[in-house]
Amino acid sequence: MGSTYKVLVNTTFEFDFTDQEISKIDALQTSDHPDHQAGTTYHILQDNASYHTEIVQADFNNKKYAVKVNNTTYQVAIANELDLRIKEMGFSIGSSKHVNAIKAPMPGLLLDIHVAVDQEVKEDDPLLILEAMKMENIILSPRDGVIKSIAAAKGDAVDKGQLLIEFE
């Protein structure tokens, strides 16, 4: 079974591709740039139409590209299955700014709580330590804020998805 990719074009159009579909694309690399990404050009045939493409900008780590197709440039973001699962779990960059509650990401034992109600915290401040599968996981604050409530106590066994901390 192959991988699935979600491709977002110009933050508006969304497409799903599989490895099998990608391998069937009739593409011929026509030039190569030293960094093997930006500046590389391709000739693509699709549905009896010819397309001249160039990777104009490449941010490989963030999987974001500017691709010129027949003199029109498109902003392209690619997400693989892991990226999509991370987003589903609420750990994606940007989405954390709107988090108003911390829930247990997995079942475990609450070893320590580093904050108190009405305490101000900054983004990435440690909030609590959750032991799961014999590993200590430090849960960090997803944003700046004030602790509204703490719904669990040190030593509690918690279930996945259980409310632990709320922000004001």
Side-chain angles (χ1 to χ4, degrees):
M1 183 174 179
S3 297
T4 302
Y5 303 92
K6 189 166 289 292
V7 178
L8 184 63
V9 179
N10 291 343
T11 66
T12 305
F13 303 101
E14 201 170 273
F15 303 93
D16 292 322
F17 292 100
T18 64
D19 283 336
Q20 186 177 12
E21 291 169 326
I22 293 169
S23 71
K24 290 181 181 178
I25 295 173
D26 186 0
L28 175 66
Q29 186 172 335
T30 54
S31 76
D32 193 11
H33 197 267
D35 70 4
H36 301 288
Q37 291 176 32
T40 302
T41 60
Y42 296 87
H43 182 252
I44 297 175
L45 293 174
Q46 180 73 27
D47 298 327
N48 297 318
S50 176
Y51 301 93
H52 297 281
T53 64
E54 177 184 1
I55 300 173
V56 180
Q57 288 179 314
D59 181 353
F60 181 76
N61 290 333
N62 292 313
K63 300 176 188 164
K64 294 185 180 191
Y65 303 87
V67 179
K68 186 189 291 186
V69 180
N70 292 348
N71 296 317
T72 302
T73 302
Y74 300 93
Q75 300 302 317
V76 179
I78 301 171
N80 62 20
E81 291 173 7
L82 177 60
D83 298 323
L84 298 173
R85 286 185 186 219
I86 289 170
K87 184 177 180 180
E88 284 175 15
M89 292 172 63
F91 292 118
S92 60
I93 296 172
S95 68
S96 64
K97 304 300 179 211
H98 307 294
V99 171
N100 288 323
I102 302 294
K103 295 181 180 179
M106 62 197 85
L109 181 66
L110 198 53
L111 295 181
D112 201 3
I113 300 174
H114 294 289
V115 293
V117 174
D118 295 329
Q119 179 179 337
E120 280 191 43
V121 294
K122 298 285 184 198
E123 184 174 350
D124 294 329
D125 282 354
L127 300 176
L128 49 90
I129 298 175
L130 180 67
E131 181 186 85
M133 297 185 298
K134 299 183 182 180
M135 293 191 61
E136 291 184 7
N137 302 283
I138 300 172
I139 309 297
L140 304 176
S141 177
R143 65 176 178 94
D144 293 354
V146 177
I147 304 299
K148 178 180 178 181
S149 68
I150 300 172
K154 182 177 175 178
D156 284 358
V158 296
D159 293 321
K160 179 179 179 176
Q162 182 177 332
L163 177 65
L164 302 174
I165 294 177
E166 283 186 299
F167 288 94
E168 286 185 0

